[in-house]
Amino acid sequence: MFHDMNNVKLLLLALFVIIGSCVPAELDSIQAFEFTFPGLEIVDPLPEVVLTEPVEVVETDGDITISTEASALVANVTAAIVTNDITQENLDVIQAFSEIAPNISDAVVIDGLTEAVISGILDGSIQPSAAFLQIQAEFKANPEFVKYFSQLEFPTVDGSIPGARLTFDKRETTKNEFNSRIGALVGPCKETADEIYLRNVKKLEDESVVQIQGIRTNYLVFTSQYEQDYAARIILGAELIADNTTELLDFAVSTNKAIDELDYPDAVKRGLKSYIIAFVLGSKDQLIQFEESFAIAAEFAKDKRITASNVLRDGAILTAETNLNSAILIQTTNYNTAVNNCHNQGAGG
Amino acid sequence: MLLVFLLPFSVEAQISFSEFGAGLSSWTRLYSTPDETILLVDPTQGNGSANTVLVPSVYGKLDLGKTFSLRGRVGYAQNTFQSVTSSLGDLVRIEKIEQNIIPAGLQLEYRFPLSKSSKSGTKADLDEGEASEKSVDPSSKSYFIGGLGISRYFIQHTISREVIGGEGSLPASKFSGNDFGFTAMVGYSTLVSERLVLTLFSQFNTGSYDHRVYSEDSIGAFEVQNISLQGLEFGVTMGFKLK
């Protein structure tokens, strides 16, 4: 068959075609080995941090009330406009009132106390005279007269009367710095371990950031609510002061008017007027104290709530950070094991 | 070479398919580049060291007149490269390449007659015709041969990875490619009988091929590594002379 020239040429042509037909082609290969590190491949999620609600802080509003004795005395005096019948017991009390500040004339006491003066003293537009202040001081000096004056009930916070502004230390937390990288090793094994370790740590840190942000947001809701509550308390305090002022003003004005209409000797009127002067000045002092104590109590309650919330928040954050550090420590231990093994086997492994 | 196929029929009488046969050679690859272990874990640093493979082959020869001939040859070489490394304590990686190379070459040869054939000048030979007289010098029994040619190397790698003590084992995967090289040959050919031709030869092969090498530092990234095919081949062929 090889005698046929055409067949021979065909055979050689085929070989020529095989040799020269197509362009060179590079060879592919298997993908590079990917190191696996069982200890580093499992990243447990950080434990959930249980968030506790702050304990409720109980506030009472406080009040300024007119005592039963005062109400009974004034009721008897008011009725006496018609009946001319002030009880002997009340007359004895009024007699004691009239003996206060004998150096001050009846005219100053009886004519000096008008509705305008009462109103002006209570709303702060009129400063009481020295005579009035003396009368108030002498009334205060006699314990027997205390029950005839308005009674101040201070606002309370958790059963205590806040006496002063309190300040709270801000808790400073320090994040534990993690730095246990091993240097001076080379090779894909160590680099791969680095990559996985850093990826795991970042994953944990990202998770922790979200967790801590959630904690902050949770307690920020409480803090915001406490600020709103405080603002509402301030408004309520102003309303209470206004209500008490009106009540005390009505009491003093109506009593003063009744005294003016009484058909009794000046000694009785002087005693009652002196009492009303002391009552008005004492009530004004109580209104001022009430306003201050209410503001203090409201701020104290707010600070106490926010502090409690911050303590819980900081505790939760500390727990989250501790959890993060523990999780990183596990990763670090596994990383060190992996890298030490890389090192033991030499670079490039 | 195309000239062979463009020759007019008027000169066909000078061209004859004169010989075919088989041979065995030893191909010592002399790397001027990294060797195939560059593809494996823990590669050999620097250029590869020489290694030798046996190359069985078949060939056919076409005489182009009295002194020139065209030899076509196809061989088969097989080699294995393996690398074993341990890391991460108990983790052992064994990566292996089973390499198959089919060199297919065409070579233009020139021959010098060295001695008279004992059968030359017989009446039987002379009666074989003019074509035979023109393709082979009937008076020569032995020849010195020199040749230049081109080879194409068809390469197949079967690469596997076995991981002991961890994940990452891969079943054997086949990858194929090819590239070119040139050849230069000298040899001695002699008739050992009326039809059998024994040829001893030495051939220098050039050439290289490209191979992707994937990086362990950056998954998916690779660089193309050139791997030398050059080497010195010593061999023997036994041919059957047609005329």
Side-chain angles (χ1 to χ4, degrees):
Chain A
M1 62 179 183
F2 295 107
H3 292 286
D4 187 334
M5 274 308 292
N6 288 332
N7 286 344
V8 172
K9 288 204 291 186
L10 195 63
L11 191 64
L12 289 171
L13 178 63
L15 188 57
F16 181 82
V17 167
I18 289 172
I19 293 172
S21 60
C22 49
V23 295
E26 69 183 23
L27 278 78
D28 203 349
S29 186
I30 57 175
Q31 290 287 328
F33 179 77
E34 290 186 55
F35 288 93
T36 56
F37 305 97
L40 290 174
E41 286 172 354
I42 300 171
V43 184
D44 291 328
L46 295 173
E48 188 176 345
V49 178
V50 178
L51 302 180
T52 309
E53 286 194 16
V55 175
E56 181 62 26
V57 174
V58 179
E59 286 180 279
T60 61
D61 296 340
D63 202 359
I64 299 175
T65 56
I66 296 169
S67 66
T68 307
E69 290 79 1
S71 296
L73 174 63
V74 169
N76 185 218
V77 169
T78 304
I81 297 172
V82 178
T83 63
N84 275 335
D85 184 19
I86 298 176
T87 65
Q88 187 56 49
E89 183 184 357
N90 285 337
L91 284 174
D92 292 343
V93 171
I94 294 168
Q95 176 63 33
F97 289 167
S98 67
E99 292 171 359
I100 291 291
N103 60 316
I104 299 172
S105 68
D106 290 348
V108 170
V109 176
I110 295 172
D111 300 332
L113 187 65
T114 63
E115 182 176 340
V117 170
I118 294 170
S119 179
I121 289 172
L122 286 178
D123 68 19
S125 60
I126 295 176
Q127 293 299 313
S129 64
F132 283 13
L133 290 173
Q134 181 187 342
I135 291 169
Q136 182 202 16
E138 291 191 16
F139 264 93
K140 285 176 71 175
N142 190 335
E144 293 294 322
F145 298 156
V146 172
K147 59 187 177 185
Y148 294 102
F149 294 100
S150 54
Q151 305 297 309
L152 172 60
E153 180 188 349
F154 285 99
T156 63
V157 177
D158 280 343
S160 300
I161 299 171
R165 298 288 299 272
L166 300 179
T167 57
F168 301 92
D169 293 335
K170 301 298 181 187
R171 181 193 292 265
E172 292 294 333
T173 56
T174 303
K175 183 176 179 180
N176 294 332
E177 293 296 332
F178 171 73
N179 185 15
S180 63
R181 299 293 307 278
I182 298 174
L185 296 177
V186 294
C189 176
K190 194 262 180 185
E191 290 164 5
T192 306
D194 279 358
E195 185 182 339
I196 296 174
Y197 170 77
L198 292 174
R199 183 191 66 198
N200 290 350
V201 168
K202 183 173 188 314
K203 181 180 178 183
L204 289 168
E205 287 177 339
D206 289 347
E207 192 180 346
S208 184
V209 165
V210 171
Q211 203 172 54
I212 289 173
Q213 186 58 44
I215 292 168
R216 291 188 189 281
T217 302
N218 178 75
Y219 287 103
L220 188 61
V221 170
F222 288 108
T223 306
S224 300
Q225 184 60 49
Y226 298 152
E227 293 287 356
Q228 291 178 22
D229 290 348
Y230 171 72
R233 292 292 293 174
I234 296 301
I235 293 171
L236 176 64
E239 290 172 352
L240 288 173
I241 289 164
D243 291 345
N244 283 322
T245 302
T246 301
E247 185 182 0
L248 295 169
L249 178 63
D250 289 347
F251 179 83
V253 167
S254 61
T255 304
N256 188 54
K257 191 178 291 181
I259 295 168
D260 287 339
E261 293 177 11
L262 278 178
D263 187 16
Y264 271 84
D266 282 350
V268 172
K269 289 187 177 182
R270 174 191 170 93
L272 288 170
K273 287 273 187 176
S274 295
Y275 161 64
I276 293 302
I277 288 168
F279 179 89
V280 169
L281 294 183
S283 294
K284 178 59 181 174
D285 289 344
Q286 288 181 341
L287 284 170
I288 291 170
Q289 288 181 56
F290 181 79
E291 185 177 18
E292 290 177 349
S293 63
F294 196 94
I296 289 170
E299 189 156 1
F300 177 74
K302 180 193 75 170
D303 289 345
K304 188 172 184 180
R305 288 182 176 119
I306 289 176
T307 300
S309 175
N310 288 346
V311 167
L312 291 174
R313 179 201 64 194
D314 292 346
I317 289 173
L318 188 63
T319 301
E321 289 176 340
T322 303
N323 291 341
L324 172 65
N325 290 335
S326 298
I328 289 176
L329 188 61
I330 292 171
Q331 292 295 318
T332 305
T333 303
N334 294 335
Y335 166 82
N336 288 337
T337 302
V339 171
N340 284 335
N341 285 333
C342 290
H343 191 224
N344 292 339
Q345 299 305 326
Chain B
M1 286 174 285
L2 267 176
L3 184 64
V4 175
F5 307 102
L6 298 176
L7 287 171
F9 282 97
S10 61
V11 296
E12 277 188 1
Q14 299 179 354
I15 302 172
S16 62
F17 187 58
S18 60
E19 187 181 323
F20 67 92
L24 184 66
S25 59
S26 165
W27 178 17
T28 300
R29 292 178 60 186
L30 306 168
Y31 291 95
S32 58
T33 65
D35 61 16
E36 278 78 355
T37 61
I38 192 73
L39 310 172
L40 305 177
V41 66
D42 198 15
T44 304
Q45 302 298 314
N47 291 343
S49 10
N51 68 70
T52 301
V53 290
L54 289 178
V55 186
S57 61
V58 294
Y59 74 94
K61 197 162 94 175
L62 187 67
D63 280 346
L64 309 174
K66 289 182 180 177
T67 54
F68 285 98
S69 59
L70 190 66
R71 180 192 295 262
R73 174 179 178 246
V74 178
Y76 176 71
Q78 193 174 37
N79 205 352
T80 300
F81 303 90
Q82 180 172 299
S83 180
V84 179
T85 189
S86 299
S87 60
L88 298 177
D90 298 330
L91 187 67
V92 178
R93 281 191 287 159
I94 304 169
E95 293 183 345
K96 187 175 178 184
I97 299 173
E98 291 179 2
Q99 183 182 58
N100 296 318
I101 301 178
I102 298 176
L106 277 177
Q107 191 162 258
L108 184 65
E109 295 177 355
Y110 182 78
R111 61 186 180 274
F112 304 91
L114 295 177
S115 64
K116 296 285 187 181
S117 166
S118 60
K119 297 289 182 184
S120 65
T122 64
K123 188 175 185 301
D125 285 342
L126 293 173
D127 288 345
E128 294 237 348
E130 190 179 343
S132 176
E133 290 175 357
K134 288 181 178 176
S135 62
V136 181
D137 183 349
S139 62
S140 297
K141 180 185 175 184
S142 302
Y143 304 93
F144 173 80
I145 307 168
L148 295 172
I150 184 170
S151 279
R152 185 159 194 176
Y153 299 93
F154 296 93
I155 303 161
Q156 183 185 66
H157 283 170
T158 302
I159 307 178
S160 62
R161 174 187 294 138
E162 181 185 4
V163 179
I164 300 170
E167 297 179 351
S169 292
L170 290 176
S173 300
K174 292 181 185 297
F175 304 97
S176 299
N178 66 82
D179 215 317
F180 289 94
F182 295 98
T183 60
M185 184 268 270
V186 293
Y188 171 77
S189 182
T190 184
L191 278 169
V192 294
S193 71
E194 186 179 354
R195 292 281 187 179
L196 291 178
V197 182
L198 178 67
T199 304
L200 302 174
F201 70 94
S202 173
Q203 178 172 297
F204 185 74
N205 303 318
T206 68
S208 64
Y209 67 100
D210 290 334
H211 208 299
R212 290 183 179 185
V213 180
Y214 286 91
S215 166
E216 288 191 352
D217 297 332
S218 180
I219 300 303
F222 66 87
E223 61 179 10
V224 175
Q225 178 67 50
N226 185 258
I227 298 176
S228 172
L229 287 164
Q230 77 178 23
L232 198 56
E233 199 173 341
F234 295 96
V236 59
T237 63
M238 184 62 77
F240 183 75
K241 199 173 179 62
L242 295 174
K243 292 178 183 176

